[in-house]
Amino acid sequence: MSVLLTATCAVPAAGAVLTAAMPAGSTEARRTTTKAVALGTSAVALALAALVAVRFDPHGDRYQLTESHSWIRSFGITFSLGVDGIGAVLALLTAVLVPIVMLASWHDADPAPAPDGTFENRRRTQGFFALILAVEAMVLVSFYATDVFVFYVFFEAMLIPMYFLIGGFGDRAGGPDAARQRSYAAVKFLLYNLLGGLVMLAAVIGLYVIAQDQGLATFDLPTLASAVADGKLQFSGTASKALFLGFFFAFAVKAPLWPLHTWLPNAMGEATAGTAVLITAVVDKVGTFAMLRFCLGLFPDASKAFAPAILVLSVIGIVYGALLAIGQKDIKRLVAYASISHFGFIIMGIFALTSQGQSGATLYMVNHGISTAAWMLVAGFLISRRGSRLIADYGGVQKVAPVLAGTFLLGGLATLSLPGLAPFVSEFLVLVGTFTRYPAIGIVATFGIVLAALYALLLYQRTMTGPVKAEVTGMPDLKVRELAVVAPLVALTILLGVYPKPLTDIVNPAVNATLSQVHETDPAPAHPVAATSGGEQK
């Protein structure tokens, strides 16, 4: 039995404990040592996640590198891990983004000096980087877990470090009531997601009770999904829909799907840029991933029954998020509403129930994570220089910081899915996959592309072009550390836009397996042919 998956999850968990236990950062040298330990830990986790992706055989079993450790035997709960193609690429995305976020946030948690020359909170640095590693560990377990109860535990547990990252280490560019706003955003994030988790807990218990009554006293996902597919585990129509809604509600809050999205702009706006990337590019992906793995795998009939309604909510989210992004005055809230629009595309692709739609949705999770990370982190560099999140406080930045402006433009172009950049491929597949089964939904969703061009280009025009404002005259360009943050994101955005085949080769078998679970095939294209009696075409 391989323990590679356990090791991949355990490294950041152990790193979080080690980082938290580092000596108090009363000097710059001690703080740098703490940061280096955390960064090194994330690099090891990246190497292990890459090894998992390399060892995964797309043509092999659905779940590979499986391992199972007994936990609560009386309830059939085991600490079971296994990886499919979708989990492999999302875990790798997480492992790639965490060290980048750490580099981008290198000074975000440095304690502020007190009037007497000491530091007000010497353990601030340790706490910040330990919390990031804790989030990484819990997200990785969520992507690898094949036990429903284990998934639920870590799905909920990741809320705790995220709560402290939002409320305790917020954006320093906030106004005079920044502390109150951070607290409000953190509590709102926690309450929304806890509510979703409580509903899901009821569904998890209901699933176990029904399975136990039919001789399957287990939380093992492959066993339950196989039993559903073979007809050995059957739900009544009402029970299937109720359990589906219990799981889906929690995932829709996390994703977030309109109208359960309202916590996201507050959380991303008040958090540091690095924490905002963790929220939208890492933690939120657990929600969309879980829709594929749990909703479609365990409740195929209910998934098909609710698909049209979910598609309507998705397309509303696409247009709504884009329209509100256009009207934003705050840079980070604009990126947050743009993400709401993008999550609408992802969920639309999942519930279109076509191979193109689901492949595109999975690629979209990866590509959105990369492109939004680039856009948000460069926005964070910009905000840290000016000390303001307001779009109106900028102008002419491209004349004084051309590299910063250029990378900001690239992030915006990726967000609007410019051909040749990574998000274009995924968005195209989602739209094609949706149009083949739900043409009206696909047509309306295309308006999201037009609106994306508006909010992305207007933001660039208002901040980077025009006369140079006096407050940005001396603004420095990107430094070496910041270039090291941006360079891999830019490279991946271009590489996956030109050559996405390595990802599609990994995810397509898992997508096909998911479609087979819901007993769906791609709609056959209509080819009206008028034939003569001899079979020749007129």
Side-chain angles (χ1 to χ4, degrees):
M1 180 176 62
S2 171
V3 294
L4 179 57
L5 298 183
T6 295
T8 305
C9 302
V11 165
V17 174
L18 179 60
T19 302
M22 294 289 289
S26 57
T27 65
E28 180 63 30
R30 285 188 175 181
R31 292 194 294 274
T32 301
T33 301
T34 298
K35 298 170 187 176
V37 168
L39 183 61
T41 301
S42 68
V44 174
L46 171 57
L48 291 173
L51 181 60
V52 169
V54 169
R55 291 187 59 182
F56 180 81
D57 179 9
H59 305 292
D61 296 336
R62 171 75 183 273
Y63 295 103
Q64 300 176 29
L65 303 174
T66 56
E67 52 187 283
S68 181
H69 311 278
S70 180
W71 188 10
I72 308 175
R73 291 186 180 181
S74 57
F75 289 98
I77 299 173
T78 59
F79 187 81
S80 300
L81 304 178
V83 63
D84 65 356
I86 300 171
V89 297
L90 291 178
L92 183 58
L93 170 69
T94 300
V96 167
L97 289 180
V98 166
I100 290 175
V101 165
M102 286 186 177
L103 273 177
S105 309
W106 202 250
H107 297 296
D108 286 356
D110 287 350
D116 60 359
T118 62
F119 290 91
E120 295 177 352
N121 186 350
R122 296 182 178 184
R123 302 209 63 84
R124 182 179 173 88
T125 303
Q126 288 89 332
F128 181 75
F129 287 92
L131 289 169
I132 292 176
L133 288 171
V135 171
E136 179 180 21
M138 294 173 185
V139 170
L140 289 175
V141 174
S142 299
F143 287 139
Y144 293 150
T146 56
D147 184 281
V148 178
F149 187 81
V150 170
F151 172 84
Y152 169 77
V153 169
F154 286 90
F155 180 82
E156 286 295 278
M158 70 180 70
L159 301 179
I160 299 171
M162 285 307 309
Y163 168 80
F164 287 109
L165 282 171
I166 297 168
F169 301 91
D171 189 354
R172 292 179 175 177
D177 61 344
R180 183 180 63 83
Q181 293 293 340
R182 287 198 302 270
S183 177
Y184 172 78
V187 170
K188 189 174 183 179
F189 161 82
L190 187 64
L191 291 179
Y192 267 68
N193 284 275
L194 279 179
L195 174 61
L198 288 174
V199 174
M200 180 182 170
L201 177 60
V204 168
I205 295 172
L207 173 65
Y208 178 80
V209 170
I210 294 175
Q212 185 182 41
D213 288 343
Q214 299 181 39
L216 291 169
T218 181
F219 284 98
D220 184 64
L221 175 64
T223 300
L224 293 172
S226 177
V228 170
D230 296 339
K232 297 177 182 178
L233 176 58
Q234 298 181 348
F235 306 101
S236 67
T238 302
S240 176
K241 291 178 180 179
L243 293 176
F244 170 87
L245 289 175
F247 278 84
F248 179 79
F249 180 79
F251 304 151
V253 172
K254 182 90 76 178
L257 174 66
W258 184 92
L260 305 172
H261 67 283
T262 59
W263 62 267
L264 184 66
N266 297 99
M268 289 184 66
E270 299 305 323
T272 65
T275 300
V277 170
L278 284 180
I279 294 170
T280 190
V282 175
V283 172
D284 288 354
K285 297 301 187 299
V286 178
T288 48
F289 163 79
M291 292 178 187
L292 280 166
R293 176 168 281 191
F294 296 95
C295 289
L296 272 61
L298 293 175
F299 314 108
D301 294 336
S303 296
K304 289 189 286 187
F306 284 109
I310 294 171
L311 289 173
V312 171
L313 295 179
S314 300
V315 79
I316 291 174
I318 291 170
V319 177
Y320 170 88
L323 286 173
L324 264 67
I326 293 171
Q328 291 304 303
K329 299 178 181 179
D330 183 308
I331 296 174
K332 292 170 73 176
R333 289 179 69 90
L334 185 151
V335 178
Y337 279 107
S339 289
I340 291 169
S341 181
H342 291 307
F343 275 104
F345 277 107
I346 294 171
I347 298 171
M348 184 177 75
I350 292 172
F351 284 93
L353 302 179
T354 61
S355 60
Q356 301 99 324
Q358 292 191 356
S359 292
T362 304
L363 287 178
Y364 215 134
M365 294 183 219
V366 177
N367 295 335
H368 170 263
I370 294 168
S371 61
T372 300
W375 206 26
M376 175 58 83
L377 292 178
V378 176
F381 297 150
L382 178 69
I383 292 167
S384 67
R385 285 159 164 76
R386 174 67 177 82
S388 173
R389 305 199 307 252
L390 297 179
I391 297 172
D393 288 342
Y394 296 87
V397 174
Q398 66 180 9
K399 297 177 183 177
V400 296
V403 177
L404 186 153
T407 52
F408 192 67
L409 176 62
L410 183 70
L413 293 176
T415 297
L416 62 84
S417 299
L418 182 75
L421 300 179
F424 170 76
V425 179
S426 44
E427 195 164 284
F428 178 78
L429 286 173
V430 165
L431 288 171
V432 169
T434 303
F435 186 82
T436 57
R437 194 179 296 277
Y438 300 97
I441 294 292
I443 291 171
V444 176
T446 56
F447 286 100
I449 302 175
V450 178
L451 297 174
L454 281 175
Y455 64 67
L457 296 179
L458 284 174
L459 176 61
Y460 182 83
Q461 180 188 47
R462 292 168 180 171
T463 56
M464 302 295 166
T465 65
V468 179
K469 290 200 171 184
E471 294 83 358
V472 303
T473 301
M475 180 178 291
D477 213 335
L478 294 183
K479 300 175 183 177
V480 174
R481 174 181 59 84
E482 295 165 333
L483 288 171
V485 168
V486 174
L489 297 174
V490 170
L492 287 171
T493 299
I494 296 173
L495 176 63
L496 295 177
V498 176
Y499 190 64
K501 188 174 183 295
L503 289 185
T504 57
D505 286 347
I506 295 176
V507 304
N508 281 344
V511 165
N512 292 333
T514 302
L515 281 177
S516 68
Q517 286 179 310
V518 294
H519 309 293
E520 284 287 1
T521 57
D522 291 331
H527 294 292
V529 176
T532 64
S533 59
E536 295 182 354
Q537 190 175 10
K538 289 184 179 182

